[in-house]
Amino acid sequence: MVSLPAFEHTPIDKIAGIYGKVQKSYLSHKTRGLEFRLAQLRKLYWGLKDNQEAIQEACKLDLGKPSYETYITETGWCMNDIIFTCNNLAKWMKDESAPDIPLMNKALSPRIRKDPLGVVLVIGAYNFPIQLSLGPVIGAIAAGNTVVLKPSENSPNAAAVMKMILEKYVDSSCYTVINGAVPETTALLEQKWDKIFYTGNGTVGTIIAKKAAETLTPVTLELGGRNPAIITKNADPRLAARRLVWAKILNAGQVCVSQNYILIDREILPQFLEELKKTFKEFFPAGAKASPDYGRIVNNRQWTRLKKMLDDSKGKILIGGNMDEADRFLEPTVVQVDSLDDSLLADESFGPLIPILPVSNLDEAIKIANSVHDTPLGIYPFGNKKETDQVLNQTRSGGASVNDGFFHASLPTLAFGGVGTSGSGAYRGRSSFDCFTHRRSVTTTPAWIERMLAIRYPPYKGKLGQYKKMQDLKPNFDRMGRSTGGWLSWLISLGAQSKGGALIRYLLVALIAVSYKRWQAQAKI
Ligand code: NAD
């Protein structure tokens, strides 16, 4: 067994000094160059690679995480993220020419620089302790910032391993870990950051946002939600069962983006329940407790919370229900509930509880989903295309997987984030770079343009007419908001929204062109 470093709280009286060091490094400009960023990311890659066993052991101790899950969602995930980022970094860092600038302003070379934000604080959560901490850190390093990482104290072994890796492998004057809980985080929030990236629950998210607002510090908040899965009568019950069970057993359901409850058309409920039973038998032939592929609840506090949620439910347990506090084991548990007020719907479980509420039709399901949480982190419609489109068109959510549990959030390069109360901002892949980058608009005014610029200098007398002639755009709409573009713009925009319309437009243009040619030919005769 690999020996792990001990989790130690960073002394609170050292926090201001550590911040000062990291800030000084930022102001030395050493993190700005491409080569420096690449070298640090590459070193971090080797830090992860060399310490795979320690990470595996830490996640096992913290969450009972199966080593397969630790590899695909933590170590391997972050290593791939680093390689992907390194492969694209030079391209992402390049200035972009500003889009949609009128020709007359092009002389100023309008462009977007990609500047680092500065000194950033990343606060991680316990459930994917490595990925949710190092994922944002990778983006922050790539974007040229210096970083302080505060991992979750609720996964103490993973936190200690990350501290050891960062200290040993990367420039610790630029990137450092502060370990601790509320007092340490509170001390960190006293410093002036250029960005705070927080992952965790909404209550603490509010504390962070309020504190950040005092100094106008921008925040990205990655929060939770009461995410619905909606199964219509036209869905495939087998696929729905397998995919939604997967989304609730990974990490023992401690996944922010997994479905919190299932709304299902009554008509298909019996087949779905049958398929759920078959799926559990297939995934865990000797039961979840005996399986090496099923994790544990992070600590006794969370285990007790989940048990209470289940005890308070008025629903009927259909599958599972076994628990063992000593082992922090909670069997994946399917409960049929009959009310929106049920404890299993009222809160986010963030555990392996699977409440099912039967409904009469899709309209009812959508209405319920919007009333339970109008801006969840994810939404999972199962059904035919028309039905799943209806769900997407009539709801909001951070992301969505159609005919699956949270698979959209399993794509490491797809932007990930919430909306409304499930969070703001996004990261992963290119978005991680953007998340920690300031898009700085820049122009350069050439000397030769000075004569044309005379219009901006006083005295202003007599210049307004000239200005209007040069700058004012003509409206192509009337007072009723109708387009007044004339036949040419009608022709150009005909069917612009659809492929069919575009085809008609092309045919019309072709017809006009052919007729014109014919007329020309006849005119010659
Ligand atoms: P947690 O207990 O690990 O806490 C998260 C972080 O908040 C920790 O680093 C902790 O030290 C810090 N913290 C706690 N209290 C604080 C305080 N008073 N002031 C400042 N910092 C404080 O995790 P959690 O919050 O219990 O995580 C579960 C929640 O997070 C769920 O709602 C889940 O959906 C959400 N979550 C969201 C994402 C996402 O990516 N959107 C990912 C994971 C978890």
Side-chain angles (χ1 to χ4, degrees), residues 104-111 442-454 456-457:
M104 61 186 290
N105 298 134
K106 292 268 188 201
L108 304 178
S109 317
R111 60 199 181 274
V442 180
T443 56
T444 303
T445 312
W448 58 262
I449 213 169
E450 189 58 13
R451 266 177 70 90
M452 287 158 78
L453 291 183
R456 72 184 186 181
Y457 303 129

Side-chain angles (χ1 to χ4, degrees), residues 123-128 132 150-154 180-182 185-186 189 198-202 204 207-208 221-225 255-257 301-302 348 350 377 416 418 422 427:
I123 303 175
Y126 67 78
N127 55 328
F128 292 99
L132 298 179
K150 210 300 286 173
S152 174
E153 70 282 15
N154 291 319
V182 177
T185 318
T186 306
L189 291 175
Y198 168 78
T199 303
N201 68 75
V204 174
I207 296 174
I208 308 268
L221 300 174
E222 298 285 345
L223 312 175
V255 182
C256 53
V257 81
R301 189 165 62 87
Q302 295 295 348
E348 180 190 0
F350 206 52
L377 191 55
F416 175 78
S422 62
Y427 74 123

Side-chain angles (χ1 to χ4, degrees), residues 123-259:
I123 303 175
Y126 67 78
N127 55 328
F128 292 99
I130 308 288
Q131 184 204 132
L132 298 179
S133 299
L134 293 186
V137 168
I138 291 165
I141 296 176
N145 303 274
T146 56
V147 188
V148 173
L149 166 65
K150 210 300 286 173
S152 174
E153 70 282 15
N154 291 319
S155 288
N157 293 291
V161 170
M162 281 188 284
K163 185 168 172 59
M164 176 269 286
I165 292 176
L166 261 75
E167 274 170 2
K168 203 163 152 198
Y169 286 82
V170 295
D171 185 334
S172 56
S173 71
C174 302
Y175 318 110
T176 192
V177 174
I178 285 183
N179 268 331
V182 177
E184 291 77 8
T185 318
T186 306
L188 278 167
L189 291 175
E190 288 304 321
Q191 307 304 320
K192 170 68 186 107
W193 303 95
D194 295 303
K195 171 136 199 178
I196 301 174
F197 187 106
Y198 168 78
T199 303
N201 68 75
T203 309
V204 174
T206 309
I207 296 174
I208 308 268
K210 275 190 184 164
K211 192 69 196 163
E214 285 176 13
T215 50
L216 299 178
T217 300
V219 288
T220 289
L221 300 174
E222 298 285 345
L223 312 175
R226 276 164 286 155
N227 313 315
I230 297 177
I231 305 174
T232 75
K233 61 181 180 208
N234 296 309
D236 179 331
R238 178 168 183 271
L239 288 188
R242 289 167 69 81
R243 293 173 182 187
L244 289 175
V245 168
W246 163 76
K248 263 295 174 186
I249 54 156
L250 187 94
N251 208 24
Q254 297 160 109
V255 182
C256 53
V257 81
S258 72
Q259 75 277 356

